[in-house]
């Protein structure tokens, strides 16, 4: 007679939020609202333009503010974990696009900008515009982020900065959302007079807000098809004598005194590049938390398959794989 089918109860799965639950009812309600807004996220047959449009709408909704990285970091990280639930099915593309928008781009403006920059950031969000983060350069190699050859020279005659990619190797490379973004945080080595002031961040218009065309002196190119995440655009960006106003410099930690023609640190001993690097740290935290959520989701899908997979042998009614 065939042996009786062996069964065992399925173990309770860990929480799909990566083990970081909302703190209270208000957070739970916000989490439900955010989850419902991203419930229609898709990847199959989705172009990077479609994905960018989805993020524009999510940004414009204001459900997560750009300034929440400072004011509500709990929601900032929870949003990343909630989005990671979709990664096992749809891949990493939109999650990366989201963290570039809210952490690398907006988070850098929040951390390094002054009050006027924060007003600009509010206007960018209300318009549903996209931003990218121009740090990595083509020939930086394993020193990505530590080698910055893009230049920004202060021109006292016009009180503007002139941003240049002096050679092919200094082009910004693998810039996520770079083909679609209207704005960029561009990291460039600042020179004021004869003084080299090190890498600083500038809030730059990549496109003309009137017609969406690339701004004068800016060239972008597609990095090409990838093995995964092709709902995310990755670009190289070159700057050729791009003039930006004095207000483009994110100046919380250092500014240019136009009258004196010199660079003035706002906080002695604080290097702007160190502050820029903090965005890479918050990104690592978000990635680590999201990875837990992704792993739990992957385990749940694998276990569900295993629980329903019958394994049979000759003369055997079959047992389930789990």
């Amino acid at each position: 007679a065939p042996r009786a089918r062996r069964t065992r109860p399925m173990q309770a799965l860990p929480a799909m939020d990566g083990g970081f639950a909302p703190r209270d009812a208000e957070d739970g309600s916000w989490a439900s609202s955010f989850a419902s807004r991203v419930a229609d996220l898709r990847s199959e047959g989705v172009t990077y333009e479609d994905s960018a449009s989805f993020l524009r709408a999510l940004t414009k909704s204001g459900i997560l503010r750009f300034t929440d990285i400072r004011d509500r970091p709990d929601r900032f990280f929870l949003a990343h974990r909630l989005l990671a639930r979709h990664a096992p099915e749809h891949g990493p593309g939109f999650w990366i696009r989201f963290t570039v928008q809210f952490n690398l781009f907006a988070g850098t403006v929040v951390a390094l900008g002054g009050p006027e920059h924060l007003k600009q950031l509010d206007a960018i969000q209300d318009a549903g515009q996209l931003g990218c983060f121009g740090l990595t350069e083509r020939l930086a190699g394993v020193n990505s982020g530590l080698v910055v050859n893009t230049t920004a020279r202060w021109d006292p005659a016009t009180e503007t900065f002139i941003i240049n990619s002096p050679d092919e190797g200094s082009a910004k490379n693998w810039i996520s959302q770079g083909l679609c973004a209207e704005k960029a945080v561009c990291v460039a080595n600042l020179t004021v007079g004869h003084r080299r002031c090190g890498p600083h961040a500038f809030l730059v218009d990549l496109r003309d807000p009137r017609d969406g065309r690339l701004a004068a002196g800016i060239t972008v190119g597609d990095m090409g098809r990838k093995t995964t995440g092709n709902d995310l655009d990755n670009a190289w960006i070159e700057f050729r004598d791009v003039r930006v106003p004095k207000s483009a410099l994110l100046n919380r930690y250092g500014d240019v005194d136009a009258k004196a023609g010199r660079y003035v640190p706002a906080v002695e001993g604080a290097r702007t590049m160190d502050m820029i690097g903090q965005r890479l740290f918050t990104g690592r935290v978000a990635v680590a938390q999201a990875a837990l959520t992704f792993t739990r989701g992957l385990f749940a899908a694998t276990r569900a398959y295993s629980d329903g997979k019958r394994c049979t042998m000759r003369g055997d009614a079959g047992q389930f794989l789990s």
Side-chain angles (χ1 to χ4, degrees), residues 119-190:
K119 290 180 182 178
Q120 289 183 55
L121 202 58
D122 284 339
I124 291 169
Q125 174 148 32
D126 293 342
Q129 293 180 326
L130 302 183
C132 61
F133 184 65
L135 174 60
T136 300
E137 295 184 357
R138 185 170 293 162
L139 293 186
V142 297
N143 292 315
S144 175
L146 299 177
V147 175
V148 179
N149 288 323
T150 302
T151 61
R153 179 175 59 84
W154 171 249
D155 179 10
T158 59
E159 295 191 359
T160 60
F161 298 101
I162 306 173
I163 300 178
N164 267 296
S165 304
D167 51 47
E168 182 181 351
S170 62
K172 300 300 182 181
N173 217 42
W174 283 110
I175 305 305
S176 296
Q177 203 158 261
L179 293 179
C180 295
E182 290 89 3
K183 307 284 184 178
V185 168
C186 175
V187 180
N189 257 310
L190 173 61

Side-chain angles (χ1 to χ4, degrees), residues 15 18 23 37 45 49 51 98 122 133 195 253 256-257 272 274-276:
R23 295 180 306 179
R37 286 189 178 272
E49 292 94 340
S51 178
F98 177 85
D122 284 339
F133 184 65
R195 179 180 177 182
Y253 294 98
V256 173
D257 184 333
T272 300
D274 293 337
M275 302 301 110
I276 294 172

Side-chain angles (χ1 to χ4, degrees), residues 261-285:
R262 61 187 181 91
Y263 178 79
V264 181
V267 180
E268 290 294 338
R271 296 192 313 164
T272 300
M273 193 62 193
D274 293 337
M275 302 301 110
I276 294 172
Q278 289 186 6
R279 297 287 65 72
L280 306 181
F281 173 74
T282 53
R284 287 348 181 236
V285 173

Side-chain angles (χ1 to χ4, degrees), residues 13 88 296-306:
L13 293 174
R296 285 177 166 88
L298 198 60
F299 175 80
T302 304
R303 183 61 186 271
Y305 173 84
S306 175

